[in-house]
Coordinates of all heavy atoms in Angstrom, one line a residue:
G390 N -57.6 25.0 -9.0 CA -58.5 24.0 -9.4 C -58.0 23.3 -10.7 O -58.2 22.0 -10.8
L391 N -57.4 24.0 -11.6 CA -56.8 23.3 -12.8 C -55.6 22.5 -12.4 O -55.3 21.5 -13.1 CB -56.4 24.4 -13.8 CG -57.6 25.1 -14.5 CD1 -57.1 26.2 -15.4 CD2 -58.4 24.1 -15.3
V392 N -54.9 22.9 -11.4 CA -53.7 22.1 -10.9 C -54.2 20.8 -10.3 O -53.7 19.7 -10.6 CB -52.9 22.9 -9.9 CG1 -51.8 22.0 -9.3 CG2 -52.3 24.1 -10.6
Q393 N -55.3 20.9 -9.5 CA -55.9 19.7 -8.9 C -56.4 18.7 -10.0 O -56.3 17.5 -9.8 CB -57.0 20.0 -7.9 CG -56.5 20.7 -6.7 CD -57.6 21.3 -5.8 OE1 -58.8 21.2 -6.2 NE2 -57.2 21.9 -4.7
K394 N -57.0 19.2 -11.1 CA -57.5 18.4 -12.1 C -56.3 17.9 -13.0 O -56.6 17.2 -14.0 CB -58.5 19.2 -13.0 CG -59.8 19.5 -12.2 CD -60.7 20.3 -13.1 CE -62.0 20.5 -12.3 NZ -63.0 21.4 -13.1
K395 N -55.1 18.3 -12.7 CA -53.9 17.8 -13.5 C -54.0 18.3 -14.9 O -53.5 17.6 -15.8 CB -53.7 16.3 -13.4 CG -53.5 15.9 -11.9 CD -53.2 14.4 -11.9 CE -52.9 14.0 -10.4 NZ -52.6 12.5 -10.3
I396 N -54.6 19.5 -15.1 CA -54.6 20.1 -16.4 C -53.3 21.0 -16.5 O -52.7 21.1 -17.6 CB -55.9 20.9 -16.7 CG1 -57.0 19.9 -16.9 CG2 -55.7 21.8 -17.9 CD1 -58.4 20.5 -17.0
F397 N -53.0 21.7 -15.4 CA -51.8 22.4 -15.3 C -50.8 21.7 -14.4 O -51.2 21.1 -13.4 CB -52.1 23.8 -14.7 CG -52.7 24.8 -15.6 CD1 -53.2 26.0 -15.1 CD2 -52.7 24.6 -17.0 CE1 -53.8 27.0 -16.0 CE2 -53.2 25.6 -17.8 CZ -53.8 26.7 -17.3
T398 N -49.5 21.8 -14.8 CA -48.5 21.4 -13.8 C -47.6 22.6 -13.6 O -47.4 23.4 -14.5 CB -47.6 20.2 -14.3 OG1 -47.0 20.6 -15.6 CG2 -48.5 19.0 -14.5
V399 N -47.1 22.8 -12.4 CA -46.3 24.0 -12.1 C -44.8 23.5 -11.8 O -44.6 22.6 -11.0 CB -46.8 24.7 -10.9 CG1 -46.0 26.0 -10.5 CG2 -48.3 25.2 -11.1
T400 N -43.9 24.1 -12.4 CA -42.5 23.8 -12.3 C -41.8 25.1 -11.8 O -42.0 26.2 -12.4 CB -41.8 23.4 -13.6 OG1 -42.6 22.2 -14.1 CG2 -40.4 23.0 -13.4
E401 N -40.9 25.0 -10.7 CA -40.1 26.1 -10.3 C -38.8 26.1 -11.1 O -38.0 25.2 -11.0 CB -39.8 25.9 -8.8 CG -41.0 26.1 -7.9 CD -41.6 27.5 -7.8 OE1 -40.9 28.4 -8.0 OE2 -42.8 27.6 -7.7
K402 N -38.7 27.2 -11.9 CA -37.5 27.4 -12.7 C -36.6 28.5 -12.2 O -37.1 29.5 -11.7 CB -37.9 27.7 -14.2 CG -38.5 26.4 -14.9 CD -38.5 26.7 -16.4 CE -39.0 25.5 -17.1 NZ -39.1 25.7 -18.6
K403 N -35.3 28.2 -12.2 CA -34.4 29.2 -11.7 C -34.4 30.5 -12.6 O -34.4 30.3 -13.9 CB -33.0 28.7 -11.6 CG -32.8 27.6 -10.6 CD -31.4 27.0 -10.6 CE -31.2 26.0 -9.5 NZ -29.8 25.4 -9.5
T404 N -34.3 31.6 -12.0 CA -34.2 32.9 -12.8 C -33.4 33.9 -12.0 O -32.9 33.6 -10.9 CB -35.6 33.5 -13.0 OG1 -35.5 34.6 -13.9 CG2 -36.3 33.9 -11.7
G405 N -33.1 35.0 -12.6 CA -32.3 36.0 -12.0 C -33.1 37.2 -11.5 O -34.3 37.3 -11.8
R406 N -32.5 38.0 -10.6 CA -33.2 39.1 -10.0 C -32.9 40.4 -10.8 O -33.5 41.4 -10.5 CB -32.8 39.3 -8.5 CG -33.2 38.2 -7.6 CD -32.6 38.4 -6.2 NE -33.1 37.4 -5.3 CZ -32.7 36.2 -5.1 NH1 -31.7 35.7 -5.9 NH2 -33.2 35.4 -4.2
L407 N -32.0 40.3 -11.7 CA -31.5 41.5 -12.4 C -32.4 41.7 -13.7 O -32.6 40.8 -14.4 CB -30.0 41.4 -12.8 CG -29.1 41.0 -11.6 CD1 -27.7 40.8 -12.1 CD2 -29.1 42.1 -10.6
V408 N -32.8 43.0 -13.9 CA -33.7 43.3 -15.0 C -32.9 43.4 -16.3 O -32.0 44.2 -16.3 CB -34.5 44.6 -14.7 CG1 -35.4 44.9 -15.9 CG2 -35.2 44.5 -13.4
P409 N -33.2 42.6 -17.3 CA -32.5 42.7 -18.5 C -32.8 44.0 -19.3 O -33.8 44.6 -19.1 CB -32.9 41.4 -19.3 CG -34.3 41.1 -18.8 CD -34.3 41.5 -17.3
F410 N -31.9 44.4 -20.1 CA -32.1 45.6 -21.0 C -33.1 45.2 -22.1 O -32.9 44.3 -22.8 CB -30.7 46.0 -21.6 CG -30.8 47.1 -22.5 CD1 -31.1 48.4 -22.1 CD2 -30.6 47.0 -23.9 CE1 -31.2 49.5 -22.9 CE2 -30.7 48.0 -24.8 CZ -31.0 49.3 -24.3
A411 N -34.1 46.1 -22.2 CA -35.2 45.8 -23.1 C -35.2 46.8 -24.3 O -36.1 46.7 -25.1 CB -36.5 45.9 -22.4
G412 N -34.2 47.8 -24.3 CA -34.2 48.8 -25.4 C -33.5 48.3 -26.6 O -33.2 47.2 -26.8
T413 N -33.3 49.3 -27.5 CA -32.6 49.0 -28.8 C -31.2 49.5 -28.7 O -30.9 50.6 -28.2 CB -33.4 49.8 -29.9 OG1 -34.7 49.4 -29.9 CG2 -32.7 49.5 -31.3
I414 N -30.3 48.7 -29.1 CA -28.9 49.0 -29.1 C -28.6 50.1 -30.1 O -29.0 50.0 -31.3 CB -28.0 47.8 -29.4 CG1 -28.2 46.7 -28.3 CG2 -26.5 48.2 -29.4 CD1 -27.9 47.1 -26.9
K415 N -27.9 51.1 -29.7 CA -27.5 52.2 -30.6 C -26.0 52.3 -30.9 O -25.2 51.8 -30.1 CB -27.9 53.6 -30.0 CG -29.4 53.7 -29.8 CD -29.8 55.1 -29.2 CE -31.3 55.2 -29.0 NZ -31.6 56.6 -28.5
E416 N -25.7 52.8 -32.0 CA -24.3 53.0 -32.4 C -23.7 54.1 -31.5 O -24.3 55.0 -31.1 CB -24.2 53.3 -33.9 CG -24.6 52.2 -34.8 CD -23.6 51.0 -34.7 OE1 -22.4 51.2 -34.6 OE2 -24.2 49.9 -34.7
V417 N -22.4 54.0 -31.4 CA -21.7 55.1 -30.6 C -21.7 56.4 -31.4 O -21.8 56.4 -32.6 CB -20.2 54.7 -30.3 CG1 -20.1 53.5 -29.4 CG2 -19.5 54.4 -31.6
S418 N -21.7 57.5 -30.6 CA -21.9 58.8 -31.2 C -20.6 59.2 -31.9 O -19.5 58.7 -31.6 CB -22.2 59.8 -30.2 OG -23.4 59.5 -29.5
E419 N -20.7 60.1 -32.9 CA -19.5 60.6 -33.6 C -18.8 61.6 -32.6 O -19.4 62.3 -31.9 CB -19.9 61.3 -34.9 CG -20.4 60.4 -36.0 CD -19.3 59.6 -36.5 OE1 -18.1 60.1 -36.6 OE2 -19.5 58.4 -36.8
L420 N -17.5 61.5 -32.7 CA -16.7 62.4 -31.8 C -16.4 63.7 -32.5 O -16.2 63.7 -33.8 CB -15.4 61.7 -31.4 CG -15.5 60.4 -30.6 CD1 -14.1 59.9 -30.2 CD2 -16.4 60.6 -29.3
S421 N -16.2 64.8 -31.8 CA -15.8 66.0 -32.4 C -14.3 65.9 -32.6 O -13.6 65.0 -32.1 CB -16.1 67.2 -31.4 OG -15.2 67.0 -30.2
P422 N -13.7 66.9 -33.4 CA -12.3 66.8 -33.7 C -11.5 66.9 -32.4 O -10.5 66.2 -32.3 CB -12.1 68.1 -34.5 CG -13.4 68.3 -35.2 CD -14.4 67.9 -34.3
A423 N -11.9 67.7 -31.4 CA -11.2 67.7 -30.1 C -11.2 66.4 -29.4 O -10.2 66.0 -28.8 CB -11.8 68.9 -29.3
Q424 N -12.4 65.8 -29.4 CA -12.6 64.5 -28.7 C -11.7 63.4 -29.4 O -11.1 62.6 -28.8 CB -14.0 64.0 -28.7 CG -14.9 64.8 -27.7 CD -16.4 64.5 -27.9 OE1 -16.9 64.4 -29.0 NE2 -17.0 64.3 -26.8
T425 N -11.7 63.4 -30.7 CA -11.0 62.5 -31.5 C -9.5 62.6 -31.2 O -8.7 61.6 -31.0 CB -11.2 62.7 -33.0 OG1 -12.6 62.5 -33.3 CG2 -10.4 61.7 -33.9
G426 N -9.0 63.9 -31.2 CA -7.6 64.1 -30.8 C -7.3 63.6 -29.5 O -6.2 63.0 -29.3
A427 N -8.1 63.8 -28.5 CA -7.9 63.3 -27.1 C -7.9 61.8 -27.1 O -7.0 61.2 -26.4 CB -9.0 63.9 -26.2
L428 N -8.8 61.2 -27.8 CA -8.8 59.7 -27.9 C -7.5 59.1 -28.4 O -6.9 58.2 -27.9 CB -10.0 59.2 -28.7 CG -10.2 57.7 -28.9 CD1 -10.4 57.1 -27.6 CD2 -11.3 57.4 -29.9
I429 N -7.0 59.7 -29.5 CA -5.7 59.3 -30.1 C -4.6 59.5 -29.1 O -3.8 58.6 -28.9 CB -5.5 60.1 -31.4 CG1 -6.5 59.7 -32.5 CG2 -4.0 59.8 -31.9 CD1 -6.5 60.6 -33.7
Q430 N -4.6 60.6 -28.4 CA -3.5 60.9 -27.4 C -3.6 59.8 -26.3 O -2.5 59.4 -25.8 CB -3.6 62.3 -26.9 CG -3.3 63.4 -27.8 CD -3.4 64.7 -27.2 OE1 -2.8 65.0 -26.2 NE2 -4.3 65.6 -27.8
I431 N -4.8 59.5 -25.8 CA -4.9 58.5 -24.7 C -4.4 57.2 -25.1 O -3.6 56.5 -24.4 CB -6.4 58.4 -24.3 CG1 -6.9 59.7 -23.6 CG2 -6.6 57.2 -23.4 CD1 -8.4 59.7 -23.4
K432 N -4.7 56.7 -26.4 CA -4.2 55.4 -26.8 C -2.7 55.4 -27.0 O -2.0 54.5 -26.6 CB -4.8 55.1 -28.2 CG -6.3 54.7 -28.1 CD -6.9 54.4 -29.4 CE -8.4 54.0 -29.3 NZ -9.0 53.6 -30.6
Q433 N -2.1 56.6 -27.4 CA -0.7 56.7 -27.5 C 0.0 56.7 -26.1 O 1.0 56.1 -25.9 CB -0.3 57.9 -28.3 CG -0.7 57.9 -29.8 CD -0.5 59.3 -30.4 OE1 -0.4 60.3 -29.8 NE2 -0.4 59.3 -31.8
S434 N -0.7 57.4 -25.2 CA -0.2 57.4 -23.8 C -0.2 56.0 -23.2 O 0.7 55.7 -22.4 CB -1.0 58.4 -23.0 OG -0.6 58.4 -21.6
F435 N -1.2 55.2 -23.4 CA -1.3 53.9 -22.9 C -0.1 53.0 -23.3 O 0.2 52.1 -22.6 CB -2.6 53.2 -23.3 CG -3.8 53.7 -22.5 CD1 -5.1 53.4 -22.9 CD2 -3.7 54.3 -21.2 CE1 -6.2 53.8 -22.2 CE2 -4.8 54.7 -20.5 CZ -6.0 54.5 -20.9
E436 N 0.4 53.3 -24.5 CA 1.6 52.5 -25.0 C 2.8 52.8 -24.2 O 3.7 52.0 -24.1 CB 1.8 52.8 -26.4 CG 0.7 52.3 -27.3 CD 0.9 52.7 -28.8 OE1 1.9 53.2 -29.1 OE2 0.0 52.3 -29.6
L437 N 2.8 54.0 -23.5 CA 4.0 54.4 -22.8 C 3.8 54.4 -21.2 O 4.8 54.1 -20.5 CB 4.4 55.8 -23.2 CG 4.7 56.0 -24.7 CD1 4.9 57.5 -25.0 CD2 6.0 55.2 -25.1
K438 N 2.6 54.7 -20.8 CA 2.3 54.8 -19.4 C 1.1 53.9 -19.0 O 0.2 53.8 -19.8 CB 2.0 56.2 -19.0 CG 2.9 57.3 -19.5 CD 4.1 57.4 -18.6 CE 5.0 58.6 -19.0 NZ 6.2 58.7 -18.2
P439 N 1.2 53.2 -17.9 CA 0.1 52.4 -17.5 C -1.1 53.1 -17.0 O -2.3 52.6 -17.0 CB 0.6 51.5 -16.3 CG 1.8 52.3 -15.8 CD 2.3 53.1 -16.9
V440 N -0.9 54.4 -16.6 CA -2.0 55.3 -16.1 C -2.0 56.6 -16.8 O -0.9 57.2 -17.0 CB -1.9 55.5 -14.6 CG1 -3.0 56.3 -14.1 CG2 -1.7 54.2 -13.8
T441 N -3.1 57.1 -17.3 CA -3.2 58.3 -18.0 C -4.4 59.2 -17.3 O -5.4 58.6 -17.0 CB -3.6 58.1 -19.5 OG1 -2.4 57.5 -20.1 CG2 -3.8 59.5 -20.2
L442 N -4.1 60.5 -17.2 CA -5.1 61.4 -16.7 C -5.7 62.1 -17.8 O -5.0 62.8 -18.6 CB -4.4 62.4 -15.7 CG -5.3 63.6 -15.3 CD1 -6.5 63.1 -14.5 CD2 -4.5 64.6 -14.4
L443 N -7.0 62.1 -17.9 CA -7.8 62.9 -18.9 C -8.3 64.1 -18.2 O -9.3 64.0 -17.4 CB -8.9 62.1 -19.6 CG -9.8 62.9 -20.5 CD1 -9.0 63.6 -21.6 CD2 -10.9 62.0 -21.0
H444 N -7.7 65.3 -18.3 CA -8.1 66.5 -17.7 C -9.0 67.3 -18.7 O -8.4 68.0 -19.6 CB -6.9 67.3 -17.3 CG -7.2 68.6 -16.6 ND1 -6.4 69.7 -16.5 CD2 -8.4 69.0 -16.0 CE1 -6.9 70.6 -15.8 NE2 -8.2 70.3 -15.5
G445 N -10.3 67.1 -18.6 CA -11.2 67.7 -19.5 C -12.2 68.6 -18.8 O -12.8 68.2 -17.8
V446 N -12.4 69.8 -19.3 CA -13.4 70.7 -18.6 C -14.8 70.1 -18.5 O -15.1 69.1 -19.3 CB -13.4 72.1 -19.3 CG1 -12.1 72.8 -19.2 CG2 -13.9 71.9 -20.7
T447 N -15.6 70.6 -17.7 CA -17.0 70.1 -17.6 C -17.7 70.2 -18.9 O -17.5 71.2 -19.6 CB -17.8 70.8 -16.5 OG1 -17.8 72.2 -16.8 CG2 -17.2 70.6 -15.1
S448 N -18.4 69.2 -19.3 CA -19.2 69.1 -20.5 C -18.3 69.1 -21.8 O -18.7 69.5 -22.9 CB -20.2 70.3 -20.6 OG -21.2 70.1 -21.6
S449 N -17.1 68.6 -21.6 CA -16.2 68.4 -22.8 C -16.4 67.1 -23.5 O -15.8 66.9 -24.5 CB -14.7 68.5 -22.3 OG -14.4 67.6 -21.4
G450 N -17.3 66.3 -23.0 CA -17.6 65.0 -23.7 C -16.7 63.9 -23.3 O -16.4 63.0 -24.1
K451 N -16.2 63.9 -22.1 CA -15.3 62.8 -21.6 C -16.0 61.4 -21.7 O -15.3 60.4 -22.0 CB -14.8 63.1 -20.2 CG -13.9 64.3 -20.1 CD -13.4 64.5 -18.7 CE -14.4 64.8 -17.6 NZ -15.0 66.2 -17.9
T452 N -17.3 61.4 -21.4 CA -18.0 60.1 -21.4 C -18.0 59.4 -22.7 O -17.9 58.2 -22.9 CB -19.4 60.3 -20.8 OG1 -19.4 60.9 -19.6 CG2 -20.1 58.9 -20.7
E453 N -18.1 60.2 -23.8 CA -18.1 59.7 -25.1 C -16.8 59.1 -25.5 O -16.7 58.1 -26.2 CB -18.5 60.7 -26.2 CG -19.9 61.2 -26.1 CD -20.9 60.1 -26.2 OE1 -20.7 59.2 -27.0 OE2 -22.0 60.1 -25.6
I454 N -15.7 59.7 -24.9 CA -14.4 59.1 -25.2 C -14.2 57.8 -24.4 O -13.7 56.8 -24.9 CB -13.3 60.1 -24.7 CG1 -13.3 61.4 -25.6 CG2 -11.9 59.5 -24.7 CD1 -12.4 62.5 -25.1
Y455 N -14.8 57.8 -23.2 CA -14.8 56.5 -22.4 C -15.5 55.4 -23.2 O -15.0 54.3 -23.2 CB -15.5 56.7 -21.0 CG -14.9 57.7 -20.1 CD1 -15.7 58.4 -19.2 CD2 -13.6 58.1 -20.2 CE1 -15.3 59.3 -18.3 CE2 -13.1 59.1 -19.3 CZ -13.9 59.7 -18.4 OH -13.5 60.6 -17.5
I456 N -16.6 55.8 -23.8 CA -17.4 54.8 -24.5 C -16.6 54.2 -25.6 O -16.7 52.9 -25.9 CB -18.8 55.4 -25.0 CG1 -19.7 55.6 -23.7 CG2 -19.4 54.5 -26.0 CD1 -21.0 56.3 -24.1
R457 N -15.9 55.0 -26.4 CA -15.1 54.5 -27.5 C -14.0 53.5 -27.0 O -13.8 52.5 -27.6 CB -14.4 55.7 -28.2 CG -15.3 56.5 -29.1 CD -15.9 55.7 -30.2 NE -16.7 56.5 -31.1 CZ -16.4 56.7 -32.4 NH1 -15.4 56.2 -32.9 NH2 -17.3 57.4 -33.1
L458 N -13.3 53.9 -25.9 CA -12.3 53.0 -25.3 C -12.9 51.7 -24.8 O -12.3 50.6 -25.0 CB -11.6 53.7 -24.2 CG -10.7 54.9 -24.6 CD1 -10.3 55.7 -23.4 CD2 -9.4 54.4 -25.3
I459 N -14.1 51.8 -24.2 CA -14.7 50.6 -23.7 C -15.1 49.7 -24.8 O -15.0 48.5 -24.7 CB -16.0 51.0 -22.8 CG1 -15.5 51.7 -21.5 CG2 -16.8 49.8 -22.5 CD1 -16.7 52.4 -20.8
K460 N -15.7 50.3 -25.9 CA -16.1 49.5 -27.0 C -14.9 48.7 -27.6 O -15.0 47.5 -27.9 CB -16.8 50.3 -28.1 CG -17.4 49.5 -29.2 CD -18.2 50.4 -30.2 CE -18.9 49.5 -31.2 NZ -18.1 48.5 -31.9
D461 N -13.8 49.4 -27.8 CA -12.6 48.7 -28.3 C -12.2 47.6 -27.4 O -11.8 46.5 -27.9 CB -11.5 49.7 -28.5 CG -11.7 50.7 -29.6 OD1 -12.6 50.5 -30.4 OD2 -11.0 51.8 -29.6
C462 N -12.2 47.8 -26.1 CA -11.8 46.7 -25.2 C -12.8 45.6 -25.2 O -12.3 44.4 -25.2 CB -11.7 47.3 -23.8 SG -11.0 46.2 -22.6
I463 N -14.1 45.8 -25.2 CA -15.1 44.8 -25.2 C -15.0 44.0 -26.5 O -15.1 42.8 -26.5 CB -16.5 45.4 -25.0 CG1 -16.7 45.7 -23.5 CG2 -17.6 44.4 -25.4 CD1 -18.0 46.4 -23.2
D464 N -14.8 44.7 -27.6 CA -14.7 44.0 -28.9 C -13.5 43.1 -29.0 O -13.5 42.1 -29.7 CB -14.7 45.0 -30.0 CG -16.0 45.7 -30.3 OD1 -17.0 45.3 -29.7 OD2 -16.0 46.8 -31.0
S465 N -12.5 43.4 -28.1 CA -11.3 42.5 -28.1 C -11.5 41.3 -27.2 O -10.6 40.5 -27.0 CB -10.1 43.3 -27.7 OG -10.2 43.6 -26.3

Side-chain angles (χ1 to χ4, degrees):
L391 288 176
V392 174
Q393 290 172 358
K394 292 178 179 178
K395 297 185 179 179
I396 292 176
F397 282 166
T398 61
V399 181
T400 304
E401 293 292 329
K402 288 192 176 182
K403 293 180 180 180
T404 185
R406 293 172 172 84
L407 307 175
V408 180
F410 176 68
T413 304
I414 300 296
K415 297 182 179 179
E416 291 296 319
V417 294
S418 303
E419 288 294 322
L420 298 183
S421 68
Q424 288 172 317
T425 301
L428 179 62
I429 293 169
Q430 289 180 57
I431 291 169
K432 290 180 177 180
Q433 291 172 343
S434 178
F435 281 162
E436 294 177 2
L437 302 172
K438 309 278 185 182
V440 183
T441 294
L442 170 64
L443 173 59
H444 180 199
V446 298
T447 55
S448 198
S449 57
K451 294 186 290 295
T452 305
E453 292 302 326
I454 295 174
Y455 301 154
I456 289 173
R457 285 295 182 118
L458 290 167
I459 291 167
K460 187 175 188 305
D461 290 347
C462 187
I463 284 179
D464 288 347
S465 71

